[in-house]
């Protein structure tokens, strides 16, 4: 059984060294045995796509199995802010996110995925919270981030179309970016296919059974698929790890409404993390709004949300929600008033109880590798690299030991 081992402080350099090591191993031809392995990746969201791509790069035979289409769950209903900001705690998890950002720069060059860099601007209405934010930014600086608190004059010069309310100071995290998550997922899958991977969509994986020689038969809605190992990048669906790997990962999945507008002339360059709403504008002009209020805690709502719908029960409710979110956003970006809504989607966060990723072989099933996480957009590149390296080499990377599936989920973190 995989043991939870606390590791000494992780830094970005050790993760980068780890991923560089995978390249040199492959270059030395030491992956011959690994290249004969057939790995299924279950789940065609951004995490599964990155793992499939990196496994294919390692020279493994890869089959990506997706119940619906690519990026139709959390990886569509996401705000897609790529960040390693103050909320990423503690230090080792922060470093993992920093490595995620570095990974996006690499993917941007390697696959031509457009990432809009430029940073984020964040502030709170309450004075006491602003003091705490300034302290958190100091900690960021100690952790290697070029973050700083800027005056309202300075941020007004950066973002002339944004109203910053009464605040005197705004936190600027210049390393942050944002991506179109559906496009990014598709680009990674396309690249995996070019490297020889196979994709099966509308393919529900229903069960997994061990066959002779330690191989596994995945029984799917399109017939059996025989593999050596399989990755569960199945997102917020808790039954997937129970049914397919015999492990219960405690999650407190929460919904969030994402509104995407039609393309609009340039209004904002940076990610605006304003009270009650997160806003960014993609390179194609579409503005993305992320709701911060969360669902009301009523019995009626709990009942409506039981099956984790991605759509409102009627268009009128979707329209009302979008109008409400736009009116909050308009306080900060008045020009948004002239935008038209294109899509309203309810995303469900894959959220392990302690807020950290679940990464590695199931303690009860050494054929099943789990990759379930929040901040999966920020983390997708580094998680893809590290998971592929572990699966290809059969070795385990101590840098991600804090995130193993067998750990005690004894803390609860909110998002
Ligand atoms: C509202 C919201 C805002 C967010 N904002 C951010 C943010 O700003 N930055 C950030 O980094 N992260 C953010 N996240 C989190 C991030 O979006 C997720 O962590 C990430 O999308 C998870 O990707 P995934 O591939 O693991 O899951 P998903 O995209 O949900 O993909 C899982 C896939 O597995 C498939 N599947 C499940 N079971 C089976 C089966 N048995 N057979 C076949 N297929 C199966 C599903 O159909 C699905 O397509 C946000 C999430 C939400 C909901």
């Amino acid at each position: 059984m995989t043991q939870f081992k606390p590791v000494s402080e992780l830094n970005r350099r050790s993760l980068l060294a780890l991923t560089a090591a995978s390249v040199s191993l492959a270059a030395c031809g030491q992956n011959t045995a690994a290249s004969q392995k057939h790995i299924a990746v279950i789940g065609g969201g951004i995490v599964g796509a990155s793992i499939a791509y990196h496994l294919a790069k390692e020279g493994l035979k890869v089959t990506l199995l997706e119940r619906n289409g690519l990026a139709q769950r959390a990886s569509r209903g996401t705000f897609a802010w790529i960040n390693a900001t103050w909320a990423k705690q503690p230090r080792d998890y922060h470093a993992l996110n920093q490595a995620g950002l570095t990974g996006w720069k690499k993917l941007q060059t390697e696959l031509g995925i457009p990432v809009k860099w430029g940073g984020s601007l964040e502030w709170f209405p309450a004075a006491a919270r602003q003091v705490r934010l300034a302290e958190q930014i100091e900690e960021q600086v100690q952790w290697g981030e070029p973050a700083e608190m800027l005056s309202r004059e300075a941020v007004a010069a950066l973002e002339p179309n944004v109203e910053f309310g009464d605040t005197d100071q705004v936190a600027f995290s210049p390393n942050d970016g944002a991506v179109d998550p559906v496009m990014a997922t598709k680009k990674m899958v396309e690249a995996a296919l070019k490297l020889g991977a196979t994709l099966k969509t509308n393919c529900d994986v229903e069960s997994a059974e061990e066959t002779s020689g330690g191989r596994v038969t995945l029984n799917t809605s399109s017939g059996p698929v025989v593999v050596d190992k399989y990755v569960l990048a199945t997102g917020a669906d808790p039954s997937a790890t129970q049914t397919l790997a015999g492990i219960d990962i405690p999650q407190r999945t929460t919904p969030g409404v994402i509104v995407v507008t039609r393309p609009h002339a340039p209004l904002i360059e940076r990610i605006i993390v304003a009270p009650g709403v997160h806003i960014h504008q993609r390179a194609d002009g579409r503005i993305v709004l992320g709701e911060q209020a969360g669902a009301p805690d009523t019995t009626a709502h709990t009942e409506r949300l039981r099956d984790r719908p991605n759509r409102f029960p009627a268009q009128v409710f979707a329209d009302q929600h979008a109008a409400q979110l736009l009116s909050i956003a308009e306080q900060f970006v008045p020009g948004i008033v002239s935008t038209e809504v294109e899509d309203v989607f309810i995303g469900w966060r894959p959220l392990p109880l302690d807020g950290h990723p679940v990464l590695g072989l199931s303690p009860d099933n050494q054929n099943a590798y789990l990759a379930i996480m929040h901040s999966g957009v920020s983390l997708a590149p580094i998680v893809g690299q590290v998971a592929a390296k572990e699966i290809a080499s059969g070795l385990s990377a101590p840098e991600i030991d804090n995130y193993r599936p067998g750990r005690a989920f004894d803390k609860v973190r909110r998002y």
Side-chain angles (χ1 to χ4, degrees), residues 42-48 65-68 73-75 77-81 203-205 233-235 237 240 244 256 258 347-350 373-378:
I42 307 173
I46 200 160
V47 172
L65 305 168
E66 166 53 50
R67 176 187 281 157
N68 306 115
R73 297 289 172 193
S75 302
T78 176
F79 184 63
W81 171 18
C203 176
D204 191 4
V205 183
T234 43
D237 179 356
L244 300 173
I258 298 291
W348 289 85
R349 298 176 179 87
M373 71 208 67
H374 183 64
S375 286
V377 176
S378 304

Side-chain angles (χ1 to χ4, degrees), residues 26 50 70 77 85 150 153 173 176 187 206 238 254 295 307 360 364 388:
S50 175
L70 293 175
T85 53
L150 296 180
E153 292 73 29
S173 301
D176 296 2
K187 287 243 183 206
E206 291 153 354
T254 55
D307 295 331
D364 305 320

Side-chain angles (χ1 to χ4, degrees), residues 125-136:
R129 186 64 190 87
Q130 284 287 92
V131 171
R132 176 93 186 97
L133 179 62
E135 289 163 5
Q136 286 163 326

Side-chain angles (χ1 to χ4, degrees), residues 10 21 35 52 77 178 182-183 206 223 239 292 296 360 364 370 375 408:
L10 166 73
S35 66
V182 178
M183 181 208 276
E206 291 153 354
S239 67
Q292 292 310 297
D364 305 320
L370 274 62
S375 286

Side-chain angles (χ1 to χ4, degrees), residues 49-102:
S50 175
I51 295 175
Y53 168 60
H54 287 97
L55 283 169
K57 264 183 88 177
E58 290 277 343
L60 277 76
K61 180 175 175 189
V62 180
T63 302
L64 178 58
L65 305 168
E66 166 53 50
R67 176 187 281 157
N68 306 115
L70 293 175
Q72 291 304 307
R73 297 289 172 193
S75 302
R76 174 164 179 184
T78 176
F79 184 63
W81 171 18
I82 300 171
N83 74 86
T85 53
W86 56 265
K88 305 290 173 74
Q89 297 285 341
R91 176 73 185 98
D92 65 298
Y93 181 55
H94 188 269
L96 189 69
N97 282 271
Q98 284 178 315
L101 265 71
T102 307

